[in-house]
Amino acid sequence: MAKTSILIPARGENIDNLERTIDSVYDNATGDFEIIVGIDGPPHILDRSQYRDDSKLKIINFPSTVGIKTNINAMCAMATGKYIYKSDAHCSFSKGFDEILQADMQPDWIVTPRFYVL
C-alpha cells in the first residue's frame, strides 16, 4: 500500500487528547504512514521525542494563530504520502484504517471514514 500522510491540526487542544490521537495512529496504522501535527499558535505543547518512532512524526509550531486553512495547507506542503488523511486532534482509529480506506480508492475520489460518537 502507498504511504498515508495523516494531518492533525490543533489549536488550544487538550494535550492528553492530542497524545491519545497520535498514539492511536501509531497503534492502528498498518501501512506506511507519517503524522504531521500543526500546532496553531502557542502554547507549543507537544514533544516529539516521547514517541517510539519519531521519524514518522513532524510538528509545525506556528508562532501565532494562523487559522485552520493555513495550518492544513502548510501540513499538506510537508506531506510526502500519496494519500492525505486529515483528522481532528481528539480522535481514535481502528486497526488498519489506512489500508482499509485505500483498498477501493479511485484516482478522483475523496473518501470519508465513518464517524462514531462514543
Side-chain angles (χ1 to χ4, degrees), residues 94-108:
S94 62
K95 195 67 164 176
F97 72 94
D98 53 332
E99 293 187 11
I100 291 167
L101 288 171
Q102 289 182 38
D104 295 318
M105 281 291 294
Q106 297 296 317
D108 58 350

Side-chain angles (χ1 to χ4, degrees), residues 6-10 21 25 75 85-93:
I6 298 139
L7 312 181
I8 305 173
T21 298
V25 173
M75 290 186 290
Y85 185 117
K86 184 267 181 195
S87 174
D88 289 340
H90 44 265
C91 292
S92 61
F93 300 85

Side-chain angles (χ1 to χ4, degrees), residues 28 39 113:
N28 293 301
I39 308 289

Side-chain angles (χ1 to χ4, degrees), residues 25-104:
V25 173
Y26 274 110
D27 292 342
N28 293 301
T30 53
D32 189 17
F33 70 94
E34 68 181 349
I35 303 169
I36 305 172
V37 178
I39 308 289
D40 192 5
H44 301 120
I45 53 177
L46 198 59
D47 177 16
R48 66 178 271 186
S49 65
Q50 70 190 17
Y51 293 95
R52 52 187 163 239
D53 184 0
D54 69 352
S55 67
K56 292 186 175 286
L57 178 64
K58 300 174 185 174
I59 301 170
I60 304 172
N61 289 312
F62 291 99
S64 61
T65 303
V66 295
I68 189 82
K69 288 183 180 183
T70 300
N71 192 345
I72 291 170
N73 286 338
M75 290 186 290
C76 281
M78 289 180 68
T80 61
K82 178 177 179 181
Y83 296 102
I84 302 289
Y85 185 117
K86 184 267 181 195
S87 174
D88 289 340
H90 44 265
C91 292
S92 61
F93 300 85
S94 62
K95 195 67 164 176
F97 72 94
D98 53 332
E99 293 187 11
I100 291 167
L101 288 171
Q102 289 182 38
D104 295 318

